[in-house]
Amino acid sequence: MISRILNFSKLFLLPHLRWLIITLITGLLTAAASGLGVPLMVKFVFPIVFWDGAGEQPLLMQYIPSLQQIQHSTLLLLACASMPLVFAVRGVAMWGNHVVVNVLGIRILESLRTTVFHHVQQLPIAYLEGQRKGDIVSRIVADTGNVQNVLSHVANDLVKQPITCICAFCAFLYLLFSTGSPEMALVLLFIALAAWPIISFGKRISMRAQQAQAELGELNTVVQQNLETQREIRAYALEPREIADFASASVSYKRNLVKLVKYQRLIIPIMETVTALALSFLLISGKQSGMGLEDFLALAAAMFFTFDSMKKAGQAFNRMNEAQGSLMRLEEILNEENPIADPQNPKQMPPRVRGDIDFRNVTFAYDTGKPVLKDINIHIPAGQIVGLVGPSGAGKTTFANLIPRFYEVTQGSVCVDGMDVRDVTMHDLREQLAIVGQQALLFSGSIKENIALGKPGATEAQIQSAANAARVSIFLDNQPQGIDTVLGQGGAGLSGGQRQRVAIARAFVKDAPILILDEATASLDAESEREIQQELDSLAQGRTTLIVAHRFSTLRNAHRILVFDHGRIVGDGPHDELYATCPLYKELFDRQGAV
Ligand code: ADP
């Protein structure tokens, strides 16, 4: 835990050093006002209030002789005013401390959240595909929220209570040894006894909290999957199964929370019982040693503040243990390394490559370890339009995904214009590529903004010309605000074909030398596909284009076709030649019937 806290502090506390110092100062003031101020008031100021002007002078007057010059009635007034003064100082310092600590907590969490999200953007696609998305969302939103919630509740106690405890304990020791009897020192044993529940429950709380957060992640995953597959759920009447899945995830979450609450709430009654025991011990031994009421009250006040601040520090410590569960889950993401990183000394790519692509002895396996591409050697000259065909699962999409370096080759190399894709930055490499996938992924925002994403800083004229080239314009008339119409999440409000046109316009505006069309029309009906094919053909002109095809009709302009089978290229050539020489190609082609 210590190293985790140190690491966390270096990353997230040091940048806010100024706020930390203010927190410490205000915490110190509050603590001193409570821990020292109140018991010492009882010991030194109360006797002045109850002094009748005759008899032995109160201690404070003996220590500060100048007080003896002040009139008795004025002294009384001053003594009475000092109590609200101590509480006013405590109140102002406490307010300042709470505000500063909360601001600090919010700032720290903001940087933590952003750091984790930033890190997720750099993690390999394979990692993100392997993880349950709901759980990642839960870590970024719920776990940081949990840490923030805990911090805002306990952060001021983390500083204030231990200092109050030390101040009150010092006052207690002073009073004990100046006015008490030696056997009263045995009360210190109770303090040791009080520390036990705090330490003993810490571990369990941390473990339960981590489990509870993991279960919250599971709950999020169930909800996310459920919302994403509503059509299937309704069509196949899967609602009871979904409800059962949710209920079971929810019950496990609840079970852990209940256990967590039990441990958390146990600490207060235990501490309070120990405090009462210590007080009665003090009362009995004080009475036996003939201690006066004001000495006893001062000692009791100091002891109360010692125990009370210890209890609150313990509570804060245990809530921090709860936050630790979340911190560990965030740390898991932050510790996840990206094996696909930019090179230390990247080579400079020209602003616009020609578009030659080479696969040299490429073998590739996903995490499962089974090669899905085997010893591929292929040269695609710039400007060539290449179709990739083959049975499902043969490796076509994987082949295309190696060019933008979404995955790293297991053996061999992939080169663009003779440069290994591992020798240049991913940013430079991906600047040279446009990809249109099966599902056009649109973001919330206007149609225009969605097109402009292809090229940051695109001019109005460039966006308009891309929209015309992709014939987005043909459906803009039906949109309430034309190209400025705001789309829902995922492009809600447009048909599949219309979304695909926006994605094509995005590729047009990017104007990259290499184009990958990965089953770009697979999700469209034949009619929409025919309509869009023309725009795709014109987009491909003059670019090195890879078309992962499920229908041969999309390959009518391909100069060359690569036939994939079980991770190998078993045919390479133009349609006529392959039809005559490659049995697999002939079989696939005949099955579909026509070009
Ligand atoms: P195609 O595009 O020809 O249908 P893919 O390239 O998508 O084929 O898949 C090739 C093989 O790799 C298949 O056996 C598939 O199951 C496997 N595969 C695809 N994506 C992954 C992944 N993310 N993790 C593990 N295996 C995968």
Side-chain angles (χ1 to χ4, degrees):
M1 180 172 180
I2 302 288
S3 71
R4 179 165 302 120
I5 290 178
L6 283 182
N7 203 11
F8 178 83
S9 310
K10 194 174 80 202
L11 274 176
F12 300 105
L13 284 183
L14 281 189
H16 305 283
L17 196 60
R18 200 161 45 110
W19 288 89
L20 258 181
I21 294 173
I22 305 179
T23 307
L24 282 175
I25 295 173
T26 48
L28 205 66
L29 261 179
T30 318
S34 332
L36 282 175
V38 177
L40 297 186
M41 285 273 308
V42 176
K43 166 91 180 151
F44 294 109
V45 182
F46 280 16
I48 297 181
V49 178
F50 294 102
W51 183 52
D52 57 5
E56 196 194 346
Q57 278 185 341
L59 272 180
L60 195 64
M61 292 178 72
Q62 292 173 25
Y63 291 155
I64 312 172
S66 55
L67 289 179
Q68 294 164 12
Q69 320 302 325
I70 303 173
Q71 252 193 3
H72 186 231
S73 56
T74 318
L75 204 59
L76 201 63
L77 208 64
L78 279 177
C80 291
S82 63
M83 196 68 172
L85 193 73
V86 168
F87 275 87
V89 170
R90 184 174 175 269
V92 171
M94 199 148 74
W95 172 80
N97 188 252
H98 280 224
V99 172
V100 175
V101 160
N102 276 293
V103 171
L104 185 65
I106 290 167
R107 281 175 174 231
I108 290 172
L109 262 296
E110 198 268 327
S111 37
L112 180 61
R113 209 173 7 239
T114 313
T115 308
V116 176
F117 188 74
H118 184 260
H119 192 71
V120 168
Q121 304 310 301
Q122 294 166 342
L123 286 177
I125 289 185
Y127 172 84
L128 297 174
E129 280 172 350
Q131 290 286 321
R132 292 155 155 273
K133 291 195 188 81
D135 188 56
I136 297 181
V137 174
S138 180
R139 287 175 199 237
I140 297 176
V141 180
D143 281 294
T144 51
N146 186 35
V147 179
Q148 178 163 337
N149 182 20
V150 170
L151 266 187
S152 66
H153 277 95
V154 304
N156 36 344
D157 277 345
L158 281 178
V159 179
K160 191 179 69 186
Q161 299 303 347
I163 305 177
T164 309
C165 188
I166 293 170
C167 291
F169 188 58
C170 289
F172 178 70
L173 284 182
Y174 165 74
L175 293 168
L176 188 69
F177 291 113
S178 62
T179 56
S181 60
E183 70 268 16
M184 284 174 93
L186 283 176
V187 78
L188 295 177
L189 285 179
F190 288 94
I191 294 182
L193 189 66
W196 165 74
I198 300 173
I199 297 163
S200 124
F201 295 150
K203 265 212 171 100
R204 288 172 217 215
I205 288 177
S206 168
M207 196 186 75
R208 289 282 164 211
Q210 198 184 353
Q211 265 175 20
Q213 288 304 111
E215 269 149 12
L216 185 62
E218 176 63 28
L219 209 58
N220 271 351
T221 303
V222 175
V223 173
Q224 177 154 15
Q225 279 177 5
N226 171 278
L227 295 180
E228 279 172 2
T229 51
Q230 272 298 317
R231 274 174 198 278
E232 286 75 10
I233 289 167
R234 309 239 169 157
Y236 291 96
L238 298 174
E239 292 93 337
R241 193 192 75 137
E242 289 292 302
I243 293 169
D245 280 356
F246 183 84
S248 121
S250 179
V251 165
S252 324
Y253 178 51
K254 176 204 74 181
R255 208 173 287 143
N256 248 312
L257 279 188
V258 168
K259 286 187 182 151
L260 191 62
V261 168
K262 274 189 201 158
Y263 284 125
Q264 274 173 343
R265 300 297 162 194
L266 209 53
I267 191 169
I268 300 176
I270 293 182
M271 291 281 294
E272 286 179 352
T273 312
V274 176
T275 314
L277 278 173
L279 261 178
S280 59
F281 173 81
L282 211 60
L283 197 61
I284 296 165
S285 52
K287 178 87 180 143
Q288 279 173 349
S289 62
M291 188 184 242
L293 180 66
E294 68 214 27
D295 284 340
F296 176 77
L297 282 181
L299 202 60
M303 203 190 77
F304 169 78
F305 275 107
T306 308
F307 275 93
D308 187 61
S309 51
M310 205 168 147
K311 178 178 79 183
K312 287 181 179 150
Q315 258 180 304
F317 174 73
N318 276 341
R319 290 228 50 196
M320 276 311 284
N321 273 322
E322 192 188 320
Q324 203 203 352
S326 287
L327 280 180
M328 279 158 85
R329 281 165 50 79
L330 289 168
E331 210 180 33
E332 273 169 16
I333 294 196
L334 287 176
N335 286 345
E336 195 59 48
E337 283 182 11
N338 187 358
I340 308 181
D342 278 337
Q344 294 254 308
N345 300 306
K347 286 188 184 159
Q348 191 67 38
M349 255 197 159
R352 187 178 178 86
V353 296
R354 291 187 310 279
D356 287 320
I357 297 172
D358 286 281
F359 277 64
R360 297 177 186 156
N361 305 319
V362 169
T363 295
F364 174 79
Y366 286 102
D367 287 344
T368 52
K370 189 170 156 267
V372 294
L373 288 177
K374 296 162 203 155
D375 205 19
I376 306 276
N377 278 292
I378 216 89
H379 170 71
I380 301 171
Q384 194 168 60
I385 299 176
V386 181
L388 312 181
V389 301
S392 173
K396 307 174 294 284
T397 300
T398 307
F399 175 89
N401 279 341
L402 292 181
I403 302 169
R405 217 180 152 204
F406 287 161
Y407 299 97
E408 197 84 296
V409 290
T410 313
Q411 271 170 38
S413 59
V414 175
C415 298
V416 170
D417 276 19
M419 299 170 87
D420 192 319
V421 292
R422 289 168 295 194
D423 290 342
V424 295
T425 66
M426 276 174 279
H427 176 266
D428 284 1
L429 172 68
R430 292 170 189 172
E431 283 279 283
Q432 311 292 338
L433 292 152
I435 300 175
V436 181
Q438 192 178 115
Q439 302 283 349
L441 291 178
L442 303 188
F443 298 84
S444 327
S446 70
I447 297 176
K448 188 160 98 184
E449 284 163 352
N450 263 290
I451 298 175
L453 284 176
K455 182 174 178 176
T459 63
E460 195 76 23
Q462 285 169 326
I463 295 172
Q464 200 56 53
S465 125
N468 292 340
R471 292 211 293 154
V472 167
S473 13
I474 59 170
F475 66 84
L476 285 183
D477 290 347
N478 297 330
Q479 298 301 317
Q481 268 112 30
I483 200 163
D484 290 313
T485 304
V486 174
L487 303 174
Q489 194 189 3
L494 297 184
S495 73
Q498 291 169 340
R499 280 182 218 168
Q500 208 59 327
R501 282 189 192 283
V502 176
I504 294 169
R506 193 189 283 161
F508 262 115
V509 88
K510 183 161 186 182
D511 190 23
I514 300 172
L515 176 65
I516 296 173
L517 304 177
D518 187 359
E519 306 207 357
T521 54
S523 61
L524 304 183
D525 54 74
E527 170 102 17
S528 310
E529 175 173 20
R530 211 169 313 119
E531 281 175 19
I532 279 181
Q533 194 55 49
Q534 212 179 329
E535 279 70 65
L536 286 175
D537 288 345
S538 78
L539 179 62
Q541 284 315 308
R543 305 176 208 274
T544 313
T545 304
L546 298 182
I547 307 172
V548 179
H550 75 297
R551 288 187 201 134
F552 284 80
S553 54
T554 56
L555 296 179
R556 62 184 182 199
N557 284 339
H559 302 125
R560 172 186 182 189
I561 291 165
L562 302 177
V563 186
F564 284 75
D565 189 23
H566 292 100
R568 294 188 190 278
I569 295 178
V570 295
D572 176 3
H575 165 75
D576 296 341
E577 187 187 312
L578 283 175
Y579 192 76
T581 59
C582 179
L584 177 62
Y585 182 79
K586 183 172 184 306
E587 185 197 327
L588 290 170
F589 186 84
D590 287 345
R591 213 184 290 158
Q592 269 192 24
V595 176

